[in-house]
Amino acid sequence: MILVTGATGNVGSHVVRQLLDEGEKVRVMTRNPSGHAFPDQVQVVTGDLTQPETLSEALSGIERAFLFPVFQGVDGFLDVAKRAGLRHVVMLSSVSVTWPEPGWVGEMHVRLERSVEASGLAWTFVRPDGFTTNDLVWAPQIIEGDVVRGRYGEAATAPIDPRDIAA
């Protein structure tokens, strides 16, 4: 069985769907199970990445996990996960960790990646650039015929669809 954290988000929701489509057994952990609808095949448990004492049930019997990057909580998750027998963690990170000056967000992801690496678990980091769904904030401007202006007109980015990140 595979645990998916962040299963209600832009990427995690697609991870869940794609795993199910591949015939995998999926468990999702959420702070508010009654506040979200998941496919019937999904096992849903309550838990919070920032509260390690809530993670035992979610990690019981789990060998692989998709980890949403919560900046306060990864060390507790990794401790409980190792004791529960987790073998491999796939963590959603950021391309900014590869930049010469990663900035605040990049530094936070660097710290998370280092914790995962130091855990002794097998790991995979997924480092997307901007999400195409972030561009939806411009939709009202575009619909009204307005010009969309960017702060960094000369910047080069590679926005990616969250479904592709999940894949």
Side-chain angles (χ1 to χ4, degrees), residues 29 47-49 51-60 73 76-77 80:
M29 181 182 74
D48 186 329
L49 287 171
Q51 299 175 5
E53 66 277 8
T54 69
L55 303 177
S56 293
E57 179 185 359
L59 286 160
S60 177
F77 172 85
V80 176

Side-chain angles (χ1 to χ4, degrees), residues 36 39 108 123:
H36 305 284
M108 294 301 287
W123 53 265

Side-chain angles (χ1 to χ4, degrees), residues 128-145:
D129 202 340
F131 295 14
T132 55
T133 49
N134 293 347
D135 297 342
L136 294 174
V137 299
W138 296 331
Q141 280 180 275
I142 294 168
I143 290 167
E144 293 297 319

Side-chain angles (χ1 to χ4, degrees), residues 1-4 24 62-66 86-89:
M1 183 167 293
I2 299 172
L3 175 67
V4 178
E24 296 287 350
I62 297 293
E63 294 184 352
R64 298 174 286 165
F66 175 80
L86 186 75
R87 293 183 308 144
H88 190 118
V89 61

